[in-house]
Amino acid sequence: MKDTLDSMLNPSSVAVIGVSRDPTSFSYTYLSIIKKCGYKGSIYPVNPRADCLLNLKCYPSILEVSEEVDLAVITTPRKFVAGSVEECIKKGVKGIAILTGGFAEVDSEGKKLQEELVNQAKERGIRIIGPNCLGFYSAPANFDGFLSGFIRKGNIGMVAQSGNITRSLAFPGIKRGLGFSYIIELGNRADIQFHELIRYFRGNDATKVIALYIEGLNDGRRFIEEVRETTKIKPVVVLKSGRTEISARVISSHTASLAGKDEIYEGAFKQCGAIRVENTIEFSSALLALSQGKLPKGNRVGILSEGGGDCALTADTCARKNLIIPKFPLDKQERLRKIVPEIGQVTNPVDLSRWEKQPEVAKVMLDGDAIDGLIIVGGFAGWDFLNPDVAPEVEESARKMIELISKTEKPVSIYTYYSYEKSKSFDILRQNNVSLFLDHHDAVNAMTALMKYNTFKSKMEGRSFQTKLKVSPNLELFGKEQIPGKMIPEHQARKILEEYGLSFPEYRMAENQDEALQFAEEIGYPIALKIISEDILHKSDAGCVKLGLNSKDEVRKLFDEIIANAEKFKKNAKITGVLVSAMDTEEGVEIIIGALKNQTFGPTVAFGIGGIFVELLKDVSFRICPIDETDADEMIRETQGFPVLTGIRGGEPVDLKSVRKTLLDVSKLLLENPQISQLDLNPIKVHKIGLSVLDARMILE
Amino acid sequence: MKDTLDSMLNPSSVAVIGVSRDPTSFSYTYLSIIKKCGYKGSIYPVNPRADCLLNLKCYPSILEVSEEVDLAVITTPRKFVAGSVEECIKKGVKGIAILTGGFAEVDSEGKKLQEELVNQAKERGIRIIGPNCLGFYSAPANFDGFLSGFIRKGNIGMVAQSGNITRSLAFPGIKRGLGFSYIIELGNRADIQFHELIRYFRGNDATKVIALYIEGLNDGRRFIEEVRETTKIKPVVVLKSGRTEISARVISSHTASLAGKDEIYEGAFKQCGAIRVENTIEFSSALLALSQGKLPKGNRVGILSEGGGDCALTADTCARKNLIIPKFPLDKQERLRKIVPEIGQVTNPVDLSRWEKQPEVAKVMLDGDAIDGLIIVGGFAGWDFLNPDVAPEVEESARKMIELISKTEKPVSIYTYYSYEKSKSFDILRQNNVSLFLDHHDAVNAMTALMKYNTFKSKMEGRSFQTKLKVSPNLELFGKEQIPGKMIPEHQARKILEEYGLSFPEYRMAENQDEALQFAEEIGYPIALKIISEDILHKSDAGCVKLGLNSKDEVRKLFDEIIANAEKFKKNAKITGVLVSAMDTEEGVEIIIGALKNQTFGPTVAFGIGGIFVELLKDVSFRICPIDETDADEMIRETQGFPVLTGIRGGEPVDLKSVRKTLLDVSKLLLENPQISQLDLNPIKVHKIGLSVLDARMILE
């Protein structure tokens, strides 16, 4: 049996509510495109002032339609939308697409109205796409309810949060060869969310590649869960805007979504194996390559060209993208040399120095296991448009290449500068779904997307994501007095962190000078003193932290100084005590581990290397809790500063396992204690063996 | 009077030597294209076995042509090239384009032959393009000697070192609207060089924009000189391959040029104001924008779109490229609000939320001084192809936009996803030379190129580059015993550096322990000891550097240790003495200044910040000597680590002027002493006021 989403996205019958009689109007055009594109189901235009539109019988209300209606599309002005939805509910439609705008994206009144509509429908199990959307396209249903009329059928399922961005794929993209199973524009995302459609596409046979344009997510955790499961079997490519502040401003005013911090999104995409692209050309190219369905087994590429300049430019981009261009073994070079003239190159890149025999050379390059994918750049095919006399040979060459491409299991990307022209050889390639890219760089980008997916796919095997969060605070550990926004006194924070396996240099809480002296002697010098006071958040700035004390005298003197400084900082500051701590004098590297509760994703954990990496280069990696060992390792390794941990310039490598363990411990802490809103362990000193946390700040939600 | 280059590039008569009778051959096709493209001068095919080719009288030899011949194009097989050149010389042609390959790019025999040909011709003042090239195109002469037949006339003068790369511009590029004054492919660059053609284009009225594809340069200094002069009046855009090692390998095997280190090329391009692009799409886009001839006065852009998604993606790219999107003043917002509906945005980006009235909105955005350029993205024009009923309005909108664009002094970049389709509104735009870009990112890139050129142009005002280098070594300063590859003993290097204004902490050369003790006392503690021995290059590794000595006893003990370690490192190591130096205990930031003689550019100077910036991030800037104050300042500021010098996290800023002065001093030193091949001042400690060099290594050529 079809589920609701399935019935809605592949409707047997559609009512379009509010179709105008004006042929230049949006709604009339919309209806005409559905009809023109060969939708086979029943179409019921609803307009009380017309009997017939586009040769279709009109109904004064959806309630007058006697047959079942799977999908209702509402295009009426905002003030009539509520009434229309009510009628749709009465009629018992499966789903509604509300194209009308003017809801949450405009004002609070619109937001309220939108919530009411959705709640009404939800109660009856009716799903809504939109409002403020362009509708959707469904290839299996031959249904172009997307105001296009030009979409090409294919295996890409796309979900987007902007109609305009889908147009960059559905117009230029289609010209480049993209074909779609579905295109769904979510508009305000009042009901149906990204993760539901991702799950739907995962189980949908018509869809082999999933494309997402995201401005913001409502439920980041479900998104990660669904993408992670999907990546195991189908690639997910995502374009996300809002990297920058100004762009985030535009988005939040535009679709009423709250764009999260981009670093956190970046971490989430890595965590679930989504392939992130930066612009619509990269987006199209990745989709075009992935929709061919062939994956490289590794990241070694062959480059084939007519000329050295093309080889050089392509090799530059490959190196930047970490693709390897292996030098061919001698026997392969010898085989190539039999075809490639003396002035050409056979080592890889292969510079054939002429257009003839390209399929033969490509075959030798692809044979065996020397490369995982082939990039052909420069002057392949198309030569017939310059010199019609050679057309038969060029066309034959195109045919041979198609045969080769269809037989090989390895992906082949082609860029040829002639492909912008009309020629029979290109028609042959295009009719056989050969991917042609826009330039060297673009062809390499496409291959990179394939190689990324190959990695992500195997990386996700056997891993899943825990979506559910604990909601009740842990009273036992934190005590009953949990004040929102309150910073937990450091000695208490330390106790909590110790429960989760984190370790500190030996320390005690001293309530007076005598105790401080006693503890210092017991711990052994050098020691540090640090005030614990809820009135002093920035202890160092207040002069209430003293490091490297070496004697009883120093402890006595500086204890008094700390107390005096606290009093200076705030009159009658409430002082809980002074932390007496051993100094960590062992060699090591300082790192920072933090945690932050995020509106979109819930608890997140952050990692960075101390000093200029975090402070100047903003070199921090994020992941969403819970993380597993693979996540933790990736967080550590993806920072620019990573080599510092493995020892540069003869330095000793530090204990990466203990860093990984600490990240996992922090992730567990955040998951089990939802009341924590922020945690800074800064710095943590990582040694050759083990690590110790030198300062901890924990703030409640 | 025309000079030789001018006569050659705009020939009144052309002989094509070695034209085959086979219509599928390269040479026959080449001749037919020259003829087809309407060349108005005389054409003389040379083929001893034909009377007439393509209705043109054939000659058995160029010597049989009775009229003057400006240009000879040689397409004969390699073995006949020498004979052909000889005949051309006898005939007294102005220039020769040798299309035939198989010279320096193949083997040493080919290289020798190539040199002989060029020398022969040069003696008679005859210039050669190639060998191993595709020839050239000249719009002023209507001459398509470039095997194309499809080049569009325009104002871009292009010089390239690969025929294939020019095709990426001449085929896809022309489809995008690029037009060329000249396209010259230099092949092996045996005679005519980049800098000569850059100078030619500078004075050439038909050329407004200069495009270069470079794999390697023969005379980097002349290149810098000519580009620097040219940038003052015309933009120069450069695509350079060979960023990576593998690509450099391909290049050197391909056109026999030795690719220099990319960092040095990068520095050279910055120094002369060339706009560097990364791939052929960026290349086309920058040229397309620059060929319009309108420059922004600053880097503030307006963004106009139909929808929020387009605004957001565009804003993301702008932020990454450091373009500013200023919020509009309230009066402009009010004016916009009169046209933009409630659901749209008027702050900038402007989200019009519909396609109507775009020219009206664009006009308000461009009025006054709020922005320097306008980027229109998303759904402009083309709507007529979706709904023919609105065609009149859409076409009117296109016409209004053209009028606006032609009147405004500000550049306008447009990306519209409909532009891949056929519609009358686009025909109107294209016929009026409106630049259409490939996506949001591409439109922003194009605007960025304009803004870069605006900066470079004003930056080059009044500055020139000293090309000539001194060749004789400075014997007075260095002594007569100059051994190539020799490292100058540090105490001597210090003396030389002091002559050029560099300063060190106080130091003396001690020849024995007693002297070391005496000097230590005189200088004052703490001091450092460092061996001076030509047998010990890496002093620290050998245990022959001791830092922070605080007493006579320490000096005595560690002096002995140094001598013992030297002996351990190399038996009977020749020890000149031990440098006794004050320790620089003042706070400061460690930087590195270096110098390196480069085959392509001559002496270069390098700057970096010590520690992880140089060691891990390879964060080093290069320039070619001599540098001026502007160059030095840019070198300092372009490093990632620059903020460390201005003080991060409350640190004090250090003395940038002294860093600048040191860079200038080093540049002068290198220029005046051509025998220096390498110099490392590492580290230099920069203080709040002044700096001191802590270690100096100088190696002779």
Side-chain angles (χ1 to χ4, degrees):
Chain A
M1 209 196 86
K2 276 179 164 186
D3 71 3
T4 312
L5 212 52
D6 206 22
S7 301
M8 180 182 186
L9 294 177
N10 307 290
S12 300
S13 52
V14 178
V16 184
I17 301 174
V19 186
S20 159
R21 284 169 299 178
D22 172 7
T24 69
S25 72
F26 173 87
S27 53
Y28 186 97
T29 312
Y30 186 86
L31 181 68
S32 70
I33 289 174
I34 294 177
K35 196 161 173 260
K36 190 183 81 182
C37 291
Y39 174 58
K40 297 285 185 292
S42 312
I43 309 175
Y44 310 110
V46 175
N47 178 341
R49 284 184 303 278
D51 294 330
C52 183
L53 280 170
L54 288 157
N55 292 324
L56 293 166
K57 188 192 164 190
C58 268
Y59 296 80
S61 153
I62 192 171
L63 294 171
E64 303 292 317
V65 179
S66 50
E67 296 83 4
E68 264 200 20
V69 175
D70 280 351
L71 173 72
V73 179
I74 298 179
T75 69
T76 54
R78 185 178 108 165
K79 58 184 171 182
F80 300 124
V81 171
S84 300
V85 169
E86 219 165 288
E87 290 188 353
C88 289
I89 291 171
K90 274 190 198 148
K91 175 66 190 163
V93 302
K94 303 286 195 317
I96 308 172
I98 306 176
L99 276 46
T100 311
F103 293 88
E105 83 279 14
V106 171
D107 52 26
S108 58
E109 196 195 330
K111 191 167 180 233
K112 204 173 143 237
L113 187 54
Q114 175 178 308
E115 279 165 10
E116 282 167 14
L117 292 178
V118 169
N119 290 337
Q120 259 185 347
K122 262 190 172 169
E123 278 171 24
R124 315 296 183 93
I126 297 170
R127 305 304 306 267
I128 290 180
I129 291 177
N132 183 32
C133 75
L134 258 183
F136 68 90
Y137 164 84
S138 164
N142 256 335
F143 177 74
D144 188 340
F146 191 65
L147 202 70
S148 162
F150 295 85
I151 300 172
R152 192 165 157 255
K153 279 192 188 186
N155 60 19
I156 302 167
M158 173 151 185
V159 192
Q161 212 176 329
S162 155
N164 285 20
I165 299 301
T166 60
R167 286 180 185 270
S168 282
L169 294 169
F171 292 93
I174 280 167
K175 283 272 182 265
R176 296 188 56 196
L178 293 186
F180 293 89
S181 55
Y182 296 90
I183 301 180
I184 301 161
E185 206 264 284
L186 290 180
N188 287 3
R189 285 174 307 141
D191 176 21
I192 294 181
Q193 301 298 323
F194 277 99
H195 66 85
E196 297 178 82
L197 291 166
I198 293 165
R199 190 179 51 213
Y200 177 75
F201 286 154
R202 184 164 74 241
N204 177 263
D205 289 339
T207 303
K208 305 290 181 207
V209 182
I210 297 165
L212 310 173
Y213 170 69
I214 297 174
E215 299 187 340
L217 292 169
N218 287 347
D219 185 349
R221 303 184 65 80
R222 296 291 301 276
F223 177 86
I224 294 179
E225 180 187 25
E226 295 298 347
V227 174
R228 210 167 201 179
E229 290 306 318
T230 304
T231 302
K232 293 171 185 172
I233 51 171
K234 295 177 185 181
V236 178
V237 185
V238 55
L239 176 65
K240 157 107 179 42
S241 59
R243 272 203 189 273
T244 52
E245 217 177 308
I246 184 131
S247 153
R249 189 183 79 204
V250 173
I251 290 170
S252 79
S253 57
H254 154 239
T255 44
S257 70
L258 214 112
K261 272 184 78 78
D262 192 73
E263 292 74 18
I264 294 178
Y265 271 98
E266 181 75 23
F269 294 145
K270 284 180 178 150
Q271 195 163 0
C272 63
I275 299 161
R276 187 173 190 178
V277 291
E278 290 296 335
N279 54 60
T280 60
I281 288 181
E282 258 185 60
F283 202 7
S284 305
S285 302
L287 294 173
L288 195 57
L290 287 161
S291 64
Q292 305 289 318
K294 285 180 187 171
L295 281 187
K297 295 207 164 41
N299 64 344
R300 300 164 308 158
V301 290
I303 299 173
L304 166 60
S305 172
E306 266 194 348
D310 291 314
C311 288
L313 266 189
T314 310
D316 272 358
T317 307
C318 283
R320 233 174 285 147
K321 300 278 175 178
N322 297 317
L323 304 191
I324 291 164
I325 306 165
K327 199 170 173 173
F328 281 143
L330 284 180
D331 58 331
K332 198 185 270 286
Q333 289 194 35
E334 277 163 27
R335 282 179 67 198
L336 287 167
R337 187 51 84 191
K338 285 178 189 149
I339 322 173
V340 176
E342 196 60 32
I343 57 163
Q345 294 291 323
V346 294
T347 44
N348 190 28
V350 174
D351 170 3
L352 175 52
S353 81
R354 51 195 289 179
W355 65 265
E356 294 96 339
K357 305 275 180 199
Q358 279 176 326
E360 288 79 357
V361 172
K363 188 177 177 314
V364 178
M365 292 177 77
L366 286 165
D367 272 355
D369 185 44
I371 53 173
D372 303 304
L374 176 64
I375 301 175
I376 301 174
V377 283
F380 176 66
W383 188 241
D384 45 334
F385 108 98
L386 274 184
N387 184 351
D389 290 324
V390 298
E393 288 92 329
V394 176
E395 287 165 27
E396 179 58 21
S397 179
R399 269 186 223 102
K400 278 189 186 161
M401 194 63 93
I402 285 162
E403 205 194 321
L404 179 68
I405 290 175
S406 67
K407 278 187 187 157
T408 179
E409 286 177 359
K410 293 170 186 163
V412 178
S413 291
I414 302 178
Y415 157 62
T416 154
Y417 31 72
Y418 300 128
S419 75
Y420 294 70
E421 311 296 334
K422 287 205 171 72
S423 90
K424 204 169 160 202
S425 54
F426 285 121
D427 293 343
I428 294 171
L429 294 176
R430 289 202 185 93
Q431 282 153 16
N432 286 278
N433 283 324
V434 170
S435 311
L436 296 176
F437 295 94
L438 300 178
D439 77 346
H440 317 78
H441 184 72
D442 190 46
V444 174
N445 275 347
M447 189 60 81
T448 307
L450 296 177
M451 290 174 173
K452 265 189 195 163
Y453 177 54
N454 181 56
T455 312
F456 291 168
K457 188 180 150 96
S458 53
K459 209 173 72 183
M460 288 310 155
E461 281 300 325
R463 295 167 70 203
S464 57
F465 183 76
Q466 178 198 324
T467 311
K468 286 262 169 68
L469 285 176
K470 202 181 153 196
V471 285
S472 56
N474 187 332
L475 294 182
E476 203 182 318
L477 203 58
F478 283 77
K480 280 176 197 163
E481 239 189 310
Q482 297 197 17
I483 305 156
K486 186 193 165 193
M487 185 161 89
I488 309 249
E490 186 168 345
H491 66 297
Q492 278 182 36
R494 287 183 176 219
K495 292 277 171 256
I496 294 167
L497 290 161
E498 280 167 344
E499 284 286 321
Y500 280 85
L502 278 75
S503 57
F504 298 85
E506 189 182 350
Y507 68 92
R508 313 270 177 88
M509 256 295 273
E511 292 188 2
N512 51 51
Q513 203 192 51
D514 285 346
E515 271 187 20
L517 284 165
Q518 183 199 329
F519 294 158
E521 293 285 314
E522 285 168 14
I523 290 168
Y525 299 102
I527 59 121
L529 297 180
K530 190 194 279 187
I531 205 152
I532 304 293
S533 161
E534 62 191 48
D535 292 325
I536 302 168
L537 293 190
H538 300 282
K539 305 175 183 107
S540 294
D541 297 349
C544 293
V545 177
K546 300 290 170 190
L547 302 176
L549 281 58
N550 278 311
S551 67
K552 257 188 158 167
D553 281 355
E554 269 191 279
V555 173
R556 198 173 287 123
K557 188 173 150 243
L558 293 176
F559 185 95
D560 288 346
E561 203 176 309
I562 281 181
I563 302 296
N565 283 343
E567 183 67 16
K568 236 185 274 168
F569 182 79
K570 191 180 172 187
K571 213 172 161 65
N572 298 322
K574 198 184 154 197
I575 296 167
T576 312
V578 172
L579 204 73
V580 184
S581 166
M583 293 289 294
D584 183 339
T585 53
E586 199 185 328
E587 260 189 59
V589 177
E590 288 190 354
I591 62 164
I592 293 167
I593 289 180
L596 194 72
K597 229 171 148 174
N598 174 272
Q599 206 178 342
T600 308
F601 292 102
T604 66
V605 55
F607 168 82
I609 291 172
I612 62 123
F613 288 102
V614 165
E615 283 172 33
L616 179 62
L617 305 173
K618 315 282 176 222
D619 180 28
V620 179
S621 58
F622 276 91
R623 289 295 185 276
I624 315 304
C625 305
I627 56 168
D628 61 16
E629 291 194 353
T630 308
D631 292 324
D633 287 346
E634 284 179 3
M635 286 180 79
I636 299 168
R637 271 156 226 275
E638 80 192 30
T639 55
Q640 269 188 288
F642 173 64
V644 170
L645 300 179
T646 58
I648 46 169
R649 219 188 166 184
E652 293 264 2
V654 299
D655 186 354
L656 292 180
K657 278 188 189 161
S658 73
V659 179
R660 178 213 279 171
K661 183 184 169 297
T662 308
L663 285 166
L664 291 167
D665 291 342
V666 168
S667 167
K668 188 159 183 271
L669 168 73
L670 268 279
L671 267 196
E672 294 182 356
N673 301 281
Q675 70 273 46
I676 300 173
S677 91
Q678 282 179 55
L679 177 71
D680 281 330
L681 308 178
N682 177 14
I684 296 173
K685 201 162 176 193
V686 192
H687 307 124
K688 202 176 155 189
I689 294 168
L691 56 77
S692 53
V693 181
L694 304 187
D695 190 75
R697 285 162 58 93
M698 188 188 285
I699 295 171
L700 294 189
E701 199 171 42
Chain B
M1 209 197 85
K2 276 180 165 186
D3 70 4
T4 310
L5 213 51
D6 207 21
S7 300
M8 180 182 186
L9 294 177
N10 306 290
S12 299
S13 51
V14 178
V16 183
I17 301 174
V19 185
S20 159
R21 283 170 298 177
D22 172 6
T24 70
S25 71
F26 173 86
S27 54
Y28 186 97
T29 312
Y30 186 86
L31 182 68
S32 71
I33 289 174
I34 294 177
K35 196 161 173 261
K36 189 184 80 182
C37 291
Y39 175 58
K40 297 286 185 291
S42 312
I43 310 176
Y44 309 109
V46 175
N47 178 341
R49 283 184 304 277
D51 294 332
C52 182
L53 281 170
L54 287 157
N55 290 324
L56 292 165
K57 189 193 162 189
C58 267
Y59 296 79
S61 152
I62 193 173
L63 294 171
E64 302 294 316
V65 178
S66 52
E67 294 84 2
E68 265 199 19
V69 176
D70 280 350
L71 173 71
V73 179
I74 297 179
T75 70
T76 53
R78 187 180 106 166
K79 58 183 172 180
F80 300 124
V81 170
S84 300
V85 169
E86 218 165 288
E87 290 188 353
C88 289
I89 292 172
K90 273 191 198 147
K91 176 65 190 164
V93 302
K94 304 286 196 316
I96 307 172
I98 306 176
L99 275 46
T100 312
F103 293 87
E105 82 279 15
V106 172
D107 52 25
S108 58
E109 196 195 332
K111 190 167 181 234
K112 205 174 141 234
L113 187 54
Q114 175 178 309
E115 278 165 10
E116 282 167 14
L117 293 178
V118 169
N119 290 337
Q120 259 184 346
K122 262 191 171 169
E123 276 171 26
R124 314 297 183 92
I126 297 171
R127 304 306 305 268
I128 289 180
I129 291 177
N132 183 31
C133 75
L134 258 182
F136 67 91
Y137 164 84
S138 163
N142 258 335
F143 177 73
D144 188 339
F146 191 65
L147 201 70
S148 162
F150 295 85
I151 300 172
R152 192 164 158 258
K153 280 192 188 186
N155 60 20
I156 302 167
M158 173 151 184
V159 192
Q161 213 176 327
S162 155
N164 285 20
I165 299 301
T166 60
R167 287 181 184 268
S168 283
L169 294 168
F171 292 94
I174 280 168
K175 283 273 182 263
R176 297 188 54 196
L178 293 185
F180 294 89
S181 55
Y182 296 89
I183 301 181
I184 301 161
E185 207 265 285
L186 289 179
N188 288 3
R189 285 174 307 138
D191 176 22
I192 294 181
Q193 301 297 323
F194 277 99
H195 66 84
E196 296 177 83
L197 291 167
I198 294 164
R199 190 179 52 214
Y200 178 75
F201 286 153
R202 184 164 74 241
N204 176 263
D205 289 339
T207 303
K208 305 290 182 206
V209 182
I210 296 165
L212 309 174
Y213 170 70
I214 297 175
E215 300 187 341
L217 292 169
N218 286 348
D219 186 348
R221 303 183 67 80
R222 297 291 301 277
F223 176 87
I224 295 179
E225 179 186 26
E226 296 298 348
V227 173
R228 209 168 203 178
E229 290 306 317
T230 304
T231 302
K232 293 172 185 171
I233 51 171
K234 294 177 186 181
V236 178
V237 185
V238 56
L239 177 64
K240 158 106 179 43
S241 59
R243 273 204 187 271
T244 52
E245 217 178 308
I246 184 132
S247 154
R249 190 183 80 204
V250 174
I251 289 170
S252 79
S253 57
H254 154 236
T255 45
S257 70
L258 215 111
K261 274 182 78 75
D262 191 73
E263 292 73 19
I264 294 177
Y265 271 98
E266 181 74 24
F269 294 145
K270 284 182 178 149
Q271 195 163 1
C272 63
I275 299 162
R276 186 172 191 178
V277 291
E278 290 296 335
N279 54 60
T280 61
I281 288 181
E282 257 185 60
F283 202 8
S284 305
S285 302
L287 294 172
L288 195 56
L290 288 160
S291 64
Q292 304 290 318
K294 284 179 187 172
L295 281 188
K297 294 207 164 43
N299 63 346
R300 300 164 307 158
V301 290
I303 298 174
L304 166 59
S305 172
E306 265 193 348
D310 291 314
C311 288
L313 267 188
T314 311
D316 271 358
T317 307
C318 284
R320 233 174 286 146
K321 301 277 173 178
N322 297 317
L323 304 191
I324 292 164
I325 306 166
K327 199 169 173 173
F328 282 142
L330 284 181
D331 58 330
K332 196 183 272 284
Q333 290 193 33
E334 276 163 28
R335 282 179 66 198
L336 286 166
R337 187 51 83 193
K338 285 178 189 147
I339 323 173
V340 177
E342 197 60 31
I343 57 162
Q345 294 291 323
V346 294
T347 44
N348 191 27
V350 173
D351 170 5
L352 176 50
S353 80
R354 52 196 287 178
W355 65 264
E356 294 97 336
K357 305 275 181 198
Q358 279 175 326
E360 288 79 357
V361 172
K363 188 179 178 311
V364 178
M365 292 176 77
L366 287 164
D367 272 355
D369 186 43
I371 53 173
D372 302 304
L374 176 64
I375 301 175
I376 300 174
V377 283
F380 176 66
W383 189 240
D384 45 336
F385 107 97
L386 274 185
N387 184 352
D389 290 325
V390 298
E393 288 92 328
V394 176
E395 287 165 28
E396 180 58 21
S397 179
R399 270 185 222 102
K400 278 189 185 160
M401 194 63 92
I402 286 160
E403 206 194 321
L404 180 68
I405 291 174
S406 68
K407 277 187 187 159
T408 178
E409 286 177 358
K410 294 170 185 163
V412 179
S413 291
I414 301 179
Y415 158 63
T416 155
Y417 31 72
Y418 300 128
S419 75
Y420 293 71
E421 311 296 333
K422 287 205 171 72
S423 89
K424 205 170 160 202
S425 54
F426 285 121
D427 292 343
I428 294 171
L429 293 176
R430 290 203 184 93
Q431 281 153 17
N432 286 277
N433 283 324
V434 170
S435 311
L436 296 177
F437 295 95
L438 301 179
D439 77 346
H440 316 79
H441 185 74
D442 191 46
V444 174
N445 274 348
M447 188 61 80
T448 307
L450 295 176
M451 291 176 172
K452 266 190 194 162
Y453 178 54
N454 182 56
T455 311
F456 291 168
K457 188 180 150 94
S458 54
K459 210 173 72 182
M460 289 309 156
E461 282 299 325
R463 295 167 69 203
S464 56
F465 183 76
Q466 177 199 322
T467 311
K468 285 262 168 67
L469 285 176
K470 201 182 155 197
V471 285
S472 56
N474 187 333
L475 295 182
E476 203 181 320
L477 204 57
F478 285 77
K480 280 176 198 162
E481 237 187 311
Q482 297 197 18
I483 305 157
K486 186 191 165 194
M487 183 160 87
I488 309 249
E490 186 169 345
H491 66 297
Q492 278 181 36
R494 288 184 176 217
K495 291 277 172 256
I496 294 166
L497 290 160
E498 281 168 344
E499 284 287 320
Y500 280 86
L502 279 75
S503 57
F504 298 85
E506 189 181 350
Y507 67 93
R508 314 268 177 89
M509 257 296 274
E511 292 188 1
N512 51 50
Q513 201 191 49
D514 285 346
E515 272 187 20
L517 284 164
Q518 183 198 331
F519 294 157
E521 293 286 314
E522 285 169 13
I523 290 169
Y525 298 103
I527 60 120
L529 297 180
K530 190 195 279 188
I531 207 152
I532 304 293
S533 161
E534 63 191 47
D535 293 325
I536 303 168
L537 293 190
H538 300 283
K539 304 174 183 108
S540 294
D541 297 349
C544 295
V545 178
K546 300 291 169 189
L547 303 177
L549 283 57
N550 278 310
S551 66
K552 258 190 155 167
D553 281 354
E554 269 192 278
V555 173
R556 198 173 286 122
K557 185 171 152 243
L558 293 175
F559 186 95
D560 289 344
E561 204 177 308
I562 282 180
I563 301 297
N565 283 343
E567 184 66 17
K568 235 184 276 170
F569 181 80
K570 192 180 171 186
K571 213 169 162 64
N572 297 323
K574 198 182 155 200
I575 297 167
T576 313
V578 171
L579 205 73
V580 183
S581 166
M583 293 290 293
D584 184 339
T585 52
E586 200 184 328
E587 260 190 57
V589 176
E590 288 191 352
I591 61 164
I592 293 167
I593 290 180
L596 192 72
K597 230 172 148 175
N598 174 273
Q599 206 178 343
T600 308
F601 293 101
T604 66
V605 57
F607 168 81
I609 291 172
I612 60 124
F613 288 101
V614 165
E615 282 172 34
L616 179 61
L617 306 173
K618 314 283 176 221
D619 180 28
V620 180
S621 58
F622 277 91
R623 288 296 184 276
I624 316 303
C625 304
I627 56 168
D628 61 16
E629 292 195 351
T630 307
D631 292 323
D633 287 344
E634 284 180 2
M635 286 180 79
I636 300 167
R637 270 157 226 273
E638 80 192 30
T639 55
Q640 268 188 286
F642 173 64
V644 169
L645 301 178
T646 58
I648 47 168
R649 216 187 169 189
E652 293 263 1
V654 300
D655 186 354
L656 292 180
K657 277 187 190 162
S658 74
V659 180
R660 179 213 278 170
K661 182 185 170 297
T662 307
L663 285 166
L664 292 167
D665 290 342
V666 168
S667 167
K668 189 160 182 269
L669 167 73
L670 267 280
L671 266 195
E672 293 182 356
N673 300 282
Q675 69 273 48
I676 300 173
S677 91
Q678 281 178 56
L679 176 70
D680 282 329
L681 307 178
N682 177 15
I684 296 173
K685 200 160 175 195
V686 192
H687 307 123
K688 204 175 152 187
I689 295 166
L691 56 76
S692 53
V693 181
L694 303 187
D695 190 76
R697 285 163 58 93
M698 189 187 284
I699 295 171
L700 293 191
E701 198 171 40

